[in-house]
Amino acid sequence: MTTATLTRPSTLRRTVWEKLQKENSDLNEREWQERRIILSSVPRTFFMQLHAACNADCIFCSKGNGYPLFHLDEYLKRFGQELAPVLRRAQQVVLSGSGEFLGLPDAEHILEYLNNEFPHVDKFIATNASHLNPRMRELIAGSDSRYTLQLSLHASDAATHKLMMRYNAFDRVTENIRELQRLRGNTGNPKLYFMFVMTTLNVERLPDFVRFAKDMGADRVRAGYFYIYESQQKYLSLYFKPELANRCIDEARRVATEVGIEIELPHKFGQTAAPDPAMNFCREPWGQFMFSVDGRVLPCDIYGGFEDSLAEKSFLEIWDGPRYRAIRRALREGDGCFRTCPRHNPAGINEWPAHVIHRPKEPSQIMTEYNEAMAKP
């Protein structure tokens, strides 16, 4: 493996990296505040889409079986040399994608690579926690790197967990989390976020999930609406049950205050006042960059079609290229994807496009699925 030759960076080199990181973060913040269209800074957050096979079969999943699996050596050969200096200036690298990243055959080597090459950068891993074996836990909690684990649980009891994820792993998952908690007692690393995808099947259990997260020692609860990837999933969407969604959001917020845990909740339905366009809250095209192992690029995980690729252009040609500029210009005016954004525009959550992921579908397929969904709510 390429990673076998890696050595820990010296204290001096890490100090230099941290200095460059802070300078870039400060510059990126200024450019965001000024709503610059062309940037001199690089993103503070990079999403690396590390697609993998998955041992779960979640009912709300995109079922992305066609995605290319991530191989560290292939990534290093194609993009590693160009992206490493940029990633070292970032504040956070998010390891996401379709499937279970920690289930990859070379997952341990990937963690070793990240610990050695980017120890000063916060690393954010989305995982179902079923593969947190002793070596994984040591690399994450026992290193001097910084990690946050977003644990995809979506339930606080074995029956609902099995219903949502369609595999029998609740006891193993909770034991892995307890073992991780014991390790992080010495270092405080990693932070643990408990994730809850809200569907019609589990949303009424969200308040119980908040209590469960507190009991398990989570640092934060994150809840968000389910996105429809295929038309047959529409019955899971709370778009058709807004009153139920609002009631459960209110109760979850109340419980979080009661037990004393941080919580992130989506916008409620029925809000009509969007933020002032001059105070556009979406900073993602100024501060993040998402790419896959085959080079495909997205401004964010819910954006539609985006044609730039690292396989055809350099990072800087894309980051300050015409497509990113057009997105920043539109968002600066409160237009573009901001109109139906479920995260940044409170009024957008009332619109159908905020609950559907359309890429990479043809317009005719999108309209067919829309008409099917509207006909049988």
Side-chain angles (χ1 to χ4, degrees), residues 16 26 45 58 61 76 111 129 148 153 169 173 181 234 240 244 257 286 299 310 316 321 327 338 351 361-363:
V16 171
D26 292 344
T45 298
C58 301
C61 182
L76 294 175
L111 294 175
T148 296
L153 300 175
V173 165
Q181 285 281 24
K234 63 191 177 188
F240 299 109
L244 173 64
T257 301
W286 281 265
L310 288 169
L316 288 177
I327 295 172
F338 180 71
E351 304 298 325
K361 299 175 183 177
E362 296 294 326

Side-chain angles (χ1 to χ4, degrees), residues 52-285:
C54 192
N55 57 335
D57 186 24
C58 301
I59 59 174
F60 49 79
C61 182
S62 63
K63 305 295 186 290
N65 298 321
Y67 295 127
L69 299 186
F70 182 87
H71 297 282
L72 179 59
D73 286 342
E74 180 182 342
Y75 160 76
L76 294 175
K77 181 179 179 180
R78 296 189 67 188
F79 308 119
Q81 185 173 355
E82 177 189 5
L83 292 180
V86 184
L87 291 171
R88 290 195 186 103
R89 294 163 65 188
Q91 284 185 325
Q92 183 183 61
V93 173
V94 179
L95 309 175
S96 62
S98 177
E100 174 52 40
F101 153 58
L102 293 181
L104 285 169
D106 56 351
E108 293 178 11
H109 295 292
I110 297 170
L111 294 175
E112 290 167 354
Y113 168 73
L114 295 169
N115 288 348
N116 283 289
E117 295 298 307
F118 313 103
H120 61 300
V121 179
D122 291 326
K123 287 160 282 291
F124 187 103
I125 297 176
T127 174
N128 63 30
S130 63
H131 287 278
L132 284 171
N133 61 45
R135 178 58 178 158
M136 295 277 192
R137 296 195 294 265
E138 179 186 356
L139 288 167
I140 292 171
S143 69
D144 60 353
S145 273
R146 297 196 292 263
Y147 283 90
T148 296
L149 298 189
Q150 178 170 289
L151 304 173
S152 299
L153 300 175
H154 322 296
S156 56
D157 62 275
T160 308
H161 187 263
K162 183 177 180 180
L163 173 69
M164 298 300 297
M165 306 186 73
R166 293 195 286 205
Y167 75 143
N168 242 342
F170 187 74
D171 291 342
R172 170 158 46 102
V173 165
T174 52
E175 181 57 29
N176 286 343
I177 296 172
R178 291 189 181 97
E179 289 294 330
L180 197 60
Q181 285 281 24
R182 283 192 277 272
L183 272 179
R184 81 168 187 154
N186 300 321
T187 63
N189 185 45
K191 295 179 182 177
L192 299 179
Y193 294 174
F194 279 28
M195 182 65 191
F196 190 99
V197 173
M198 298 164 54
T199 73
T200 54
L201 297 182
N202 69 337
V203 69
E204 291 178 284
R205 294 178 171 86
L206 178 56
D208 289 337
F209 184 81
V210 175
R211 296 186 179 92
F212 167 73
K214 177 65 176 180
D215 292 343
M216 290 289 292
D219 297 288
R220 181 177 300 179
V221 171
R222 304 183 90 178
Y225 293 117
F226 155 73
Y227 295 124
I228 299 170
Y229 291 91
E230 303 293 342
S231 58
Q232 63 266 28
Q233 295 175 315
K234 63 191 177 188
Y235 300 106
L236 300 173
S237 176
L238 288 162
Y239 176 78
F240 299 109
K241 295 191 175 183
E243 296 84 3
L244 173 64
N246 287 353
R247 174 168 57 81
C248 293
I249 288 172
D250 286 341
E251 179 63 10
R253 182 176 289 110
R254 186 194 67 76
V255 172
T257 301
E258 174 188 303
V259 302
I261 190 171
E262 294 183 16
I263 191 167
E264 296 177 26
L265 292 162
H267 298 299
K268 292 165 60 177
F269 288 94
Q271 299 181 82
T272 57
D276 182 347
M279 297 297 291
N280 181 351
F281 289 117
C282 179
R283 63 188 304 156
E284 293 176 8

Side-chain angles (χ1 to χ4, degrees), residues 335-364:
D335 203 352
C337 55
F338 180 71
R339 288 184 178 274
T340 58
C341 180
R343 282 201 291 263
H344 301 293
N345 184 354
I349 207 67
N350 303 316
E351 304 298 325
W352 171 254
H355 299 268
V356 182
I357 300 295
H358 283 144
R359 65 175 188 272
K361 299 175 183 177
E362 296 294 326
S364 59

Side-chain angles (χ1 to χ4, degrees), residues 231-232 234-235 367-377:
S231 58
Q232 63 266 28
K234 63 191 177 188
Y235 300 106
M367 283 307 303
T368 296
E369 293 188 355
Y370 172 79
N371 290 330
E372 289 176 353
M374 294 300 106
K376 297 180 180 180

